[in-house]
Amino acid sequence: MSHDELDPTPIRFMRHVCHGDYARPMQSPAVHTYVALALHVGGRMRVEHRGEFELRAGHLHLIPAGDAHRVLSASHAEMWGIGFCRTCLDPARYGDLLAPLDRVRHGASPVVELPAARQAYVLDLLRELEREQQAAGALPVVSESLLALVLAEVVRASGSVRAAPAQRPSIVAEALAVIEARCLGPLSLKEVAEAVRRTPAHVTTAVKQATGRTVVAWIVEGRLAEARRRLLATDEYVDVIAERVGYADSSHFVRLFRRHHGVTPAAWRAQHRRAQRPDPG
């Protein structure tokens, strides 16, 4: 399985272009640690994700974090999209906007067709997100606002689609939903297992087999993603950030952060803030 992470920002514009025909399936599925929304703007692509689908212009592919998927074939396909950290979003503000992703985990189709009259608008939002992220002095609140507008379009488009009959999500989907909702507070493998009514061994084996990561690794990634967001977007002290992302011991948090990123949180903040600073010339 292939993995990637959002770093440094919790929201990322993405573009993928397939020139010509691609007839060989990906050898192994991809699994993201973040949510991905992929709008197909041209060509055709056949994907495997909770079944097989052919994606054409105007189709939005909704990929919850941890969902394995792969490209089976493509012909002159072009896709624009957004990757974002769900843990980094305020559930009180974004809960309703994330409902289509929750329905995917409960068995609804991961493909939503945008109305033709709204496709140009969504493309404009994605272009603006790309411009914002390439600009010196980019403001995180602007990226969040653009993401919210795109998610609103997904909600409106998916509201007119008959969802698959509600069904209980898999143990893996349930476990990942618990982690997304609770990883910024005290949370252990045992508590995740209790929440999904299985043994710790059963849950961690299922999650590892499906996603390539352990339950603990998913908890750590959710915490570190929010820590990175706070390091960039706020002036909070490192020990305050450590507590806000679930670590009572700030020295443990610093060691963990350094193990994953090669530098301390303070050094990481300084590096990335320098990179974002507007050029005085």
Side-chain angles (χ1 to χ4, degrees):
M1 294 181 180
S2 61
H3 299 84
D4 47 8
E5 299 174 359
L6 295 178
D7 186 10
T9 60
I11 300 170
R12 181 200 300 165
F13 170 81
M14 303 182 296
R15 177 187 284 133
H16 175 75
V17 180
C18 175
H19 299 287
D21 294 330
Y22 176 81
R24 292 190 305 172
M26 293 170 57
Q27 291 187 346
S28 62
V31 178
H32 302 151
T33 59
Y34 54 83
V35 177
L37 306 178
L39 174 60
H40 289 257
V41 301
R44 295 174 181 269
M45 179 180 289
R46 190 153 191 85
V47 299
E48 182 180 77
H49 175 205
R50 299 173 180 264
E52 293 186 13
F53 304 90
E54 182 172 270
L55 301 168
R56 303 182 304 277
H59 285 172
L60 256 170
H61 185 189
L62 313 184
I63 310 172
D67 266 23
H69 58 284
R70 63 174 179 153
V71 175
L72 300 176
S73 63
S75 178
H76 301 280
E78 181 175 359
M79 116 191 146
W80 295 15
I82 303 178
F84 65 92
C85 164
R86 180 165 180 166
T87 304
C88 302
L89 300 178
D90 180 357
R93 294 178 59 197
Y94 286 87
D96 291 342
L97 295 177
L98 297 169
L101 289 156
D102 294 332
R103 290 199 291 270
V104 170
R105 279 185 168 162
H106 282 79
S109 170
V111 181
V112 172
E113 186 167 5
L114 283 181
R118 306 301 290 174
Q119 292 174 23
Y121 171 65
V122 173
L123 285 173
D124 283 342
L125 293 174
L126 295 174
R127 287 190 186 97
E128 191 58 37
L129 177 62
E130 181 182 30
R131 283 192 291 267
E132 175 64 23
Q133 296 194 333
Q134 290 176 347
L139 299 172
V141 68
V142 176
S143 293
E144 287 188 20
S145 297
L146 292 167
L147 170 62
L149 290 171
V150 172
L151 289 172
E153 293 298 313
V154 177
V155 169
R156 293 179 182 122
S158 61
S160 61
V161 176
R162 187 184 181 91
Q167 55 184 274
R168 182 171 177 173
S170 69
I171 294 300
V172 173
E174 279 193 295
L176 293 178
V178 170
I179 292 168
E180 286 173 346
R182 295 171 51 185
C183 70
L184 300 184
L187 185 65
S188 65
L189 166 61
K190 180 181 178 182
E191 289 166 324
V192 173
E194 288 174 350
V196 300
R197 300 166 297 283
R198 294 291 190 278
T199 66
H202 179 89
V203 173
T204 202
T205 298
V207 170
K208 175 73 172 180
Q209 288 179 343
T211 72
R213 290 174 179 261
T214 65
V215 167
V216 171
W218 278 100
I219 294 172
V220 169
E221 175 52 33
R223 290 174 170 177
L224 290 182
E226 172 63 1
R228 294 192 297 267
R229 185 193 73 80
R230 288 181 174 274
L231 287 166
L232 280 180
T234 77
D235 292 319
E236 293 172 339
Y237 290 116
V238 169
D239 56 348
V240 172
I241 291 176
E243 186 175 1
R244 291 188 185 280
V245 301
Y247 294 104
D249 181 352
S250 61
S251 61
H252 173 65
F253 165 69
V254 170
R255 289 194 300 270
L256 186 69
F257 192 98
R258 186 168 191 165
R259 189 183 313 144
H260 280 75
H261 297 290
V263 294
T264 65
W268 187 94
R269 170 186 267 165
Q271 289 176 5
H272 289 285
R273 284 195 171 178
R274 280 197 301 270
Q276 290 186 335
R277 194 172 298 142
D279 187 347

